[in-house]
Amino acid sequence: MGYEKGTETYMGTTLKGITWNHSRGYSSIVAVTQRFAELHPGFDIHWEKRSLSEFESKPIEQLAYEYDLLVIDHPWAGFAARHNVLLPLQSLLPDSFLADQAENSVGPSHRSYDFDGFQSALAIDAASPVAVHRPDKISPDDLPRTFDDVLELAKSGSVIYAATPTYLLMDFYAFCNTAGGSLFSEENNLRVVDRETGVAVLEDMRKLASLCPRDIFRYDTIALHEALCSSGTAVYCPFVYGYVNYSRRGYAPHLLKATDIIRYRGKMMTGVLGGTGLAVSSGCRHVEEAVSFVLYALDPETQRTIYFDAGGQPGHRRAWLDEECNRQSLDFFKDTLATLDASYLRPRYSGYLYFQDHAGIVIRDYVRDGGDPVKALDRLDCMYRDSLNL
């Protein structure tokens, strides 16, 4: 089902790869590359890294022109399928391998890169928002379980979360979907969500933000984890894209413990799926070698050993169930898997990223500064309709 070591020697073959600038995204793939190169003399991949914000928004067609292998975000799947900037992996990888990836997907990670039958990438990394806390400062019995519990704890100044525009938009989706709102429904007159749900959610989001330090509006997911593991007053975050690194010995000043996400309106929140996928550019100069590397990097044995050991957050379910991976990470995987499995898959149509890049600002402005929630929703709807024509 996975990679089998061959005797190929790829003399003088060097590919270029692009990933993102965090240990979870960089040191992990570099370690896998090093071992693959040892198994295949003459082969190497020169990995470059970009910031988290660039990873989420820089046009993929530019990257595909410059690089052979790309670590990408799944909302690009529709654009990739429409514009052929990435190779269709369903035509290049063994059926048995693809079946294993699908069967062992963490939540909808595997199918998130499949758009109308075009498999643009494979889930090398899996993530969704989870709850995170400082186990040295708050006991398990005192952890919030519901949104109302979070509001109560936030009154003490102990709660922070990532509130830059993109992450507030993801929170908005999560709240709306959990509340039963009809997101991005054509039957809903091309609205992002029905007015009743949207208004109620925006008011709840503003209520929470009003009880938290203003610094939250500067935090992306990485900055949030760095702030929480420092010696500040915050002890708890109700929802943030999980980073296993901060639950591992030696990585941060104070260990962080991840658990399943909170409950909202009587249900566990359906956080928005994140994670990353490994893709091959349509302009790749050495397709056979690139595909062989993909098979190795996504192999379940690689995922639960070399990839995880070097700081990765695997995409293969076997790694999430692995006793050693959990032992080294305060049970990060075991204690958040239910959240990942219930996660919401956001839109992936070709023009979606235009909406995501602009809509978060509208959410941020309302949550931070207040205003008319109906007008905010009207602006979102206009952006949504515009994005459908791109």
Side-chain angles (χ1 to χ4, degrees):
M1 294 294 179
Y3 173 83
E4 294 184 6
K5 181 184 180 302
T7 58
E8 301 93 339
T9 298
Y10 302 138
M11 293 306 297
T13 300
T14 301
L15 304 180
K16 287 183 64 179
I18 183 71
T19 184
W20 50 296
N21 187 20
H22 189 271
S23 301
R24 184 177 132 200
Y26 182 71
S27 61
S28 54
I29 198 72
V30 169
V32 171
T33 300
Q34 176 62 30
R35 183 56 183 145
F36 186 80
E38 292 168 355
L39 296 172
H40 299 275
F43 176 89
D44 198 10
I45 304 172
H46 175 67
W47 287 98
E48 296 180 8
K49 51 192 174 181
R50 51 191 170 139
S51 70
L52 185 61
S53 61
E54 288 177 323
F55 170 78
E56 293 162 345
S57 61
K58 186 172 181 179
I60 198 172
E61 67 271 26
Q62 296 179 21
L63 299 173
Y65 179 78
E66 299 177 42
Y67 299 96
D68 302 293
L69 288 158
L70 299 85
V71 176
I72 68 168
D73 199 4
H74 66 258
W76 284 109
F79 183 92
R82 182 174 178 179
H83 296 279
N84 297 310
V85 294
L86 302 175
L87 291 180
L89 296 183
Q90 79 278 3
S91 301
L92 298 172
L93 298 172
D95 290 343
S96 59
F97 182 83
L98 291 169
D100 176 76
Q101 294 291 309
E103 182 180 348
N104 287 283
S105 177
V106 177
S109 294
H110 178 73
R111 66 181 174 89
S112 72
Y113 299 97
D114 179 343
F115 191 86
D116 289 342
F118 189 103
Q119 190 77 39
S120 59
L122 292 182
I124 194 170
D125 173 291
S128 83
V130 298
V132 181
H133 68 275
R134 283 277 299 274
D136 61 326
K137 286 190 171 184
I138 185 170
S139 72
D141 292 339
D142 293 329
L143 291 175
R145 310 295 177 188
T146 68
F147 182 69
D148 287 339
D149 292 341
V150 174
L151 293 178
E152 191 62 33
L153 181 62
K155 293 176 183 177
S156 68
S158 302
V159 174
I160 57 174
Y161 62 104
T164 48
T166 297
Y167 300 107
L168 282 174
L169 181 63
M170 299 302 104
D171 295 344
F172 178 73
Y173 293 166
F175 278 113
C176 288
N177 191 61
T178 307
S182 181
L183 284 166
F184 299 99
S185 171
E186 292 185 7
E187 290 102 16
N188 197 28
N189 298 317
L190 293 181
R191 286 182 167 178
V192 174
V193 70
D194 63 276
R195 283 292 179 272
E196 182 180 357
T197 301
V199 168
V201 163
L202 284 175
E203 290 177 349
D204 278 345
M205 291 177 67
R206 178 154 171 72
K207 187 183 300 182
L208 174 59
S210 70
L211 298 173
C212 295
R214 296 284 284 186
D215 285 347
I216 62 172
F217 295 106
R218 297 188 292 105
Y219 293 154
D220 62 17
T221 54
I222 296 173
L224 180 283
H225 280 86
E226 294 290 351
L228 195 59
C229 74
S230 72
S231 57
T233 58
V235 303
Y236 181 79
C237 174
F239 32 71
V240 64
Y241 285 94
Y243 278 72
V244 68
N245 315 78
Y246 296 90
S247 297
R248 302 189 63 177
R249 185 180 66 170
Y251 190 81
H254 301 279
L255 286 174
L256 301 182
K257 173 74 181 110
T259 61
D260 281 324
I261 201 167
I262 62 167
R263 299 178 69 82
Y264 178 66
R265 298 195 183 184
K267 304 181 221 175
M268 184 171 73
M269 281 186 69
T270 51
V272 179
L273 183 72
T276 64
L278 182 59
V280 181
S281 165
S282 58
C284 179
R285 298 161 294 163
H286 302 279
V287 174
E288 179 183 349
E289 292 89 334
V291 168
S292 184
F293 176 76
V294 170
L295 287 168
Y296 180 72
L298 274 293
D299 182 87
E301 187 66 13
T302 304
Q303 285 267 289
R304 73 180 188 89
T305 57
I306 298 172
Y307 186 79
F308 168 74
D309 292 342
Q313 189 165 300
H316 199 281
R317 195 174 192 87
R318 204 171 302 172
W320 283 67
L321 298 174
D322 185 83
E323 290 184 9
E324 185 61 19
C325 290
N326 278 288
R327 187 190 69 78
Q328 293 188 40
S329 62
L330 299 181
D331 288 329
F332 175 93
F333 302 104
K334 178 173 68 71
D335 288 350
T336 61
L337 186 55
T339 293
L340 271 288
D341 283 342
S343 56
Y344 167 73
L345 181 57
R346 73 191 111 153
R348 296 164 299 144
Y349 59 88
S350 184
Y352 168 72
L353 268 299
Y354 167 84
F355 176 82
Q356 180 171 295
D357 288 345
H358 294 84
I361 298 171
V362 176
I363 301 292
R364 190 273 317 276
D365 289 350
Y366 178 81
V367 169
R368 185 186 62 188
D369 305 324
D372 186 336
V374 174
K375 288 183 179 179
L377 293 171
D378 286 342
R379 291 181 63 193
L380 295 183
D381 292 342
C382 287
M383 292 176 184
Y384 174 39
R385 289 190 284 271
D386 288 345
S387 71
L388 293 171
N389 296 319
L390 297 176

